[in-house]
Structures are given as structure tokens and as C-alpha cells.
Amino acid sequence: LGSEGELKLTRAVDTFTHTVTYALGGRRGTVAERTQETVLRWTPPLKLAYELPDSAMGEGSMTVTTYTESGETVGEQSCPFTVYVPQSLVPRLSLAVTLENSGAAEAWGVAVKGKTRLRFDASVENSCGASVRECAFTFAGQTVKALQGVTEPVARAGSFAPLFTATDSRGRTASAALEEVTVYDYALPS
């Protein structure tokens, strides 16, 4: 889809003309109408991907109707064609996170081991009719399978990048990562 292809027609009589149409799912269109050309260039429109919400490829039907010089129909012939959803059609993601501190850490404004949770809010814009099949937020060894939510208190110290990943119904995966968040070590005074 979205890439040009070539169609070759064979005329039995030089004065014959052809109308070429296509169908895929519930969508139909015309490639050429009453043409005498024997080589046609055609770009399957990206909107055909809406007919393939759960697959990266699909099969349609191409129909050639042949007419005499006076416009009478000579005959009609159909053949299948296969299209592929381009790799560029993946979910588009956005991600935002905020720190939620407890106890004394509330006033510190930084992430602290054992005291900080990350609240995340992600959004997914699906591509051409696909839907979200699965999604997950990952941070510092924790994974939460949701679009929005909050982690458990962070159990590791170090620098970690919040990461959100989504897979759509075509099996296409996209990720969105934010800048690393530094989680400071903390232990009760002894």
C-alpha cells in the first residue's frame, strides 16, 4: 500500500478499451476507465489498510472490463492481488510521568528508593484502523500492563528511562521513552 505498481493488459483488438476496477473488503475504486493503454501505473491507496485492521497483508480483486470501439461490453475478467501494509504504519505513542513520594520524601522533589512511585499516563493513536492489542509501562525493573497507572515503590537505585510499549492488532510494535530518572538510594539511619 502506498507504493506504485504496474499492471499489464493484453488487447485482442487494437480498438478495444478497458476499464480496470479493484475491490478489497468494503472498498472499491477505479484504476483506469475506458483506456487503450496496455501498461498502467497504480498506487494502492493507504486507506485500504482500514480494511485490514488485524493483518499486515490482504487480498483483493482486480476486474478488467473490455469494450468495443462502439462501447459494447466484450467481456470481463477478474484476478486476485495482494497488498501489504507498510512498516511505517505503527502506533503513535505519547507518555508522561510524575513522581509520587511518600513520607519525608514528599518535600524532596526527587525519586528515592523505596519512597517513590511513578504515575504514568500514555496514549496510543492507532494507525489506519488497527487497535491496541497489548501495552506496557516499564521502569526500574517493574512492568505495568496498562495505559495509565502507578508503579509500586521503586526498589532500585540508579538511573532508569521510563518506557512505554504498545503492540497493535497487526502485530506492529512501537515504543516511547523519556529521559532517565535518577532514583537515589535511601536507608533508615542506624
Side-chain angles (χ1 to χ4, degrees):
L1 298 176
S3 298
E4 188 179 68
E6 185 176 271
L7 306 174
K8 293 184 178 180
L9 307 177
T10 301
R11 285 203 311 268
V13 178
D14 286 346
T15 57
F16 282 178
T17 60
H18 304 287
T19 292
V20 183
T21 60
Y22 67 88
L24 193 154
R27 292 183 184 257
R28 284 160 175 70
T30 300
V31 177
E33 192 164 2
R34 301 296 178 102
T35 182
Q36 286 189 309
E37 298 293 328
T38 56
V39 178
L40 304 175
R41 309 295 299 181
W42 179 56
T43 301
L46 279 174
K47 65 184 179 182
L48 290 178
Y50 284 98
E51 301 300 315
L52 306 168
D54 302 318
S55 177
M57 63 176 290
E59 188 174 281
S61 177
M62 192 81 66
T63 300
V64 180
T65 305
T66 302
Y67 303 92
T68 64
E69 189 175 8
S70 62
E72 295 179 358
T73 301
V74 176
E76 186 177 278
Q77 185 172 356
S78 297
C79 65
F81 68 93
T82 301
V83 294
Y84 299 87
V85 178
Q87 293 289 338
S88 59
L89 292 185
V90 298
R92 290 179 289 277
L93 314 179
S94 65
L95 174 65
V97 299
T98 54
L99 303 181
E100 291 193 355
N101 288 326
S102 61
E106 286 187 70
W108 299 346
V110 295
V112 180
K113 176 183 171 181
K115 299 290 184 181
T116 299
R117 302 170 187 259
L118 247 68
R119 181 170 293 279
F120 65 93
D121 187 357
S123 65
V124 180
E125 183 181 347
N126 291 302
S127 186
C128 291
S131 58
V132 178
R133 189 169 68 190
E134 58 184 37
C135 60
F137 174 77
T138 303
F139 182 76
Q142 295 189 47
T143 298
V144 182
K145 294 185 176 182
L147 281 169
Q148 295 89 26
V150 62
T151 67
E152 295 297 319
V154 180
R156 300 179 183 177
S159 294
F160 309 98
L163 175 69
F164 180 76
T165 303
T167 301
D168 69 14
S169 51
R170 295 190 185 103
R172 303 282 173 80
T173 299
S175 298
L178 300 180
E179 290 185 5
E180 289 187 344
V181 175
T182 299
V183 180
Y184 293 92
D185 205 355
Y186 177 82
L188 291 172
S190 56

